[in-house]
Amino acid sequence: MVDEALRSELSKRISDYLFSYFQWGSSAMPIDQEPKMGELLVDVLEYQRLNHPRYGRYCSLQRCTERGTSILSYPPLPVESFKRADICPFGQEQTVAEFRSSGTTEGVKSIHRFRDTGLLQRALIYTFTLYISRLMPKGMRFLSLMPSYESNPHSSLGYMITQFVQNYGAEGSGFFFDFDRGLDCKSFVAALRDAERDGVAVHIFGPAFAYVELLDWIESSHIAPIHCAPGSCLLETGGYKGRTREIPKAELRQALCDKLGIEIGHIYGEYGMCELSSQGYEICALNNRTTCPDECLYIFPGWMKCMLFNPETMAPVLPGHEGQIAFFDLCNLDSAAYILTGDVGTLVELPPDVRRATVGFPKYGLRLRGRAPSAVPKGCSMAWDEWNAQARHA
C-alpha cells in the first residue's frame, strides 16, 4: 500500500526542485549556485524501496534492505523489467497515461504508466526551454513527421512532440504522418514552401528513418532545394537498429542541410525512452554559445542523473571510461526512478568555458556508444516499422 501522504510530499518537493533548477538555468546565476538534489534523491529511492513492491523485491535480492546514504546504496532496476512485470504500484483505474516502447526484435514492449502527468509535463517543457527553445526565433511553425499523441496515445515521443507543437508552435504547425496515408511528403514539402514564402522559421521533428524516406521522395520527385528561413531547426531522433538501409549521421544531416536549407548546427538529437519521464539533448548551436564539440554529446537537466557501471561487476565507472548507462530520473516518482539501460556510453567533462557561457549546462556530457552487446535492438526505427504497418492495414 502506497504511503499517499509521503508520495504527495515528495511530488511537491520534486516539483519545487524542478522549478528552482529551471529558474537557475534560465538566469545568469553563477555555476556554484546550481540547485542540488541533496537528500531528495535518497528519499525517493527509499520511498520506492518501501512502497513499490517490484522495486522493493529487487532491492532485497540485491541485499539492499535499509535506508542508504547515497545513490550507490541502491541498485538500478534493469530497463527490461518494464517488459517483464508491471512496475507501477497503482491500478489501471488510477492510470491517466500509458506509454509503450517501440518494441524489440523479440516483439516485447515496455509499459510505463502514469497516475498524473504533472512532473512529466514540467520535465518536457523545462528541458526543452533550457536547452533548445530559448535561442529559437519567435513565432516558429512546428512540423512533425511523427504521429500526434491523439492518433498514437501510447507513444511517449508522440506525447512529447505534441506538447511542443501545442505549447510553442505558431499557426501553420501540424503533423504529417497519419495511419491512413503514412508519411505525407507532398503536404509536408508544401508546408515548408509556405513557410519559405512567408519568411517564417520552422522547427521540424522526426525519426532518422523518416528523413531518409523524405529525402528519397524529394529526390525521386525532382523537388528543388528548399530554403528554410534563418533560425529554422530540426530534431533528429532514433537510429537504424535492425535496418538494411542506413545513412551515417553526418551524411544524413548534410543531406538535410542541402535539401532543406537548415544550418548544420541547428540539427540536433534527443535521448529519451518510454521508461523515463525526462530526456536529454545534443549540444549544438541552439544551446551552446561557444564552439560546439566535433562529436555528439548529450546533456541532461539537474533532476536527471547519469551514471555508468561496469556491466560485468556493476562497479561504478569513472568519467572518461566506457560503461553501461544508468539514469536516476526524479520525475519517475510513480514507477522506477533508478534505471539501468541497455545502452553503453562515456561521460565527458565539458570545457569550463562552455559551462560558463551557457548557464544550465551540467559538468559532463554523455557520449553514446550504442547498445550493450547483450541488449536486444529497440528504438524509434522499430516504431517507424509499426506505424507504416498500421498505415498499410488501416
Side-chain angles (χ1 to χ4, degrees), residues 3-21:
D3 184 334
E4 293 292 346
L6 180 55
R7 177 194 174 274
S8 180
E9 176 198 331
L10 287 172
S11 180
K12 184 180 185 309
R13 288 173 62 193
I14 293 169
S15 181
D16 289 347
Y17 174 75
L18 263 62
F19 184 65
S20 65
Y21 190 90

Side-chain angles (χ1 to χ4, degrees), residues 3 40 176 210 221 233 254 257 330:
D3 184 334
L40 182 55
F176 296 86
S221 302
C233 47
Q254 188 59 56
C257 178
L330 266 184

Side-chain angles (χ1 to χ4, degrees), residues 45-163:
L45 287 173
E46 185 64 8
Y47 162 77
Q48 292 188 340
R49 184 181 74 83
L50 296 176
N51 289 269
H52 293 202
R54 299 290 185 183
Y55 185 62
R57 174 60 177 158
Y58 185 69
C59 285
S60 295
L61 292 172
Q62 300 296 315
R63 300 180 182 178
C64 172
T65 57
E66 57 184 28
R67 182 181 175 87
T69 57
S70 75
I71 192 171
L72 294 178
S73 304
Y74 296 84
L77 187 72
V79 73
E80 292 292 311
S81 302
F82 282 81
K83 299 174 185 174
R84 311 302 177 191
D86 187 353
I87 300 302
C88 303
F90 56 91
Q92 283 291 340
E93 71 281 357
Q94 291 181 289
T95 300
V96 299
E98 182 179 295
F99 297 146
R100 299 175 186 173
S101 67
S102 51
T104 69
T105 51
E106 295 177 333
V108 182
K109 298 189 178 193
S110 294
I111 295 177
H112 187 186
R113 297 188 292 115
F114 291 78
R115 56 182 288 185
D116 71 65
T117 57
L119 294 177
L120 171 67
Q121 290 179 348
R122 288 180 180 87
L124 293 175
I125 298 301
Y126 288 171
T127 310
F128 188 70
T129 301
L130 282 175
Y131 294 149
I132 303 297
S133 72
R134 66 180 177 181
L135 294 183
M136 296 190 314
K138 303 299 183 184
M140 296 181 78
R141 295 176 188 173
F142 279 45
L143 310 176
S144 173
L145 298 180
M146 296 175 281
S148 68
Y149 177 63
E150 287 75 15
S151 64
N152 194 26
H154 293 304
S155 168
S156 58
L157 189 58
Y159 182 91
M160 180 182 82
I161 301 304
T162 299
Q163 290 288 316

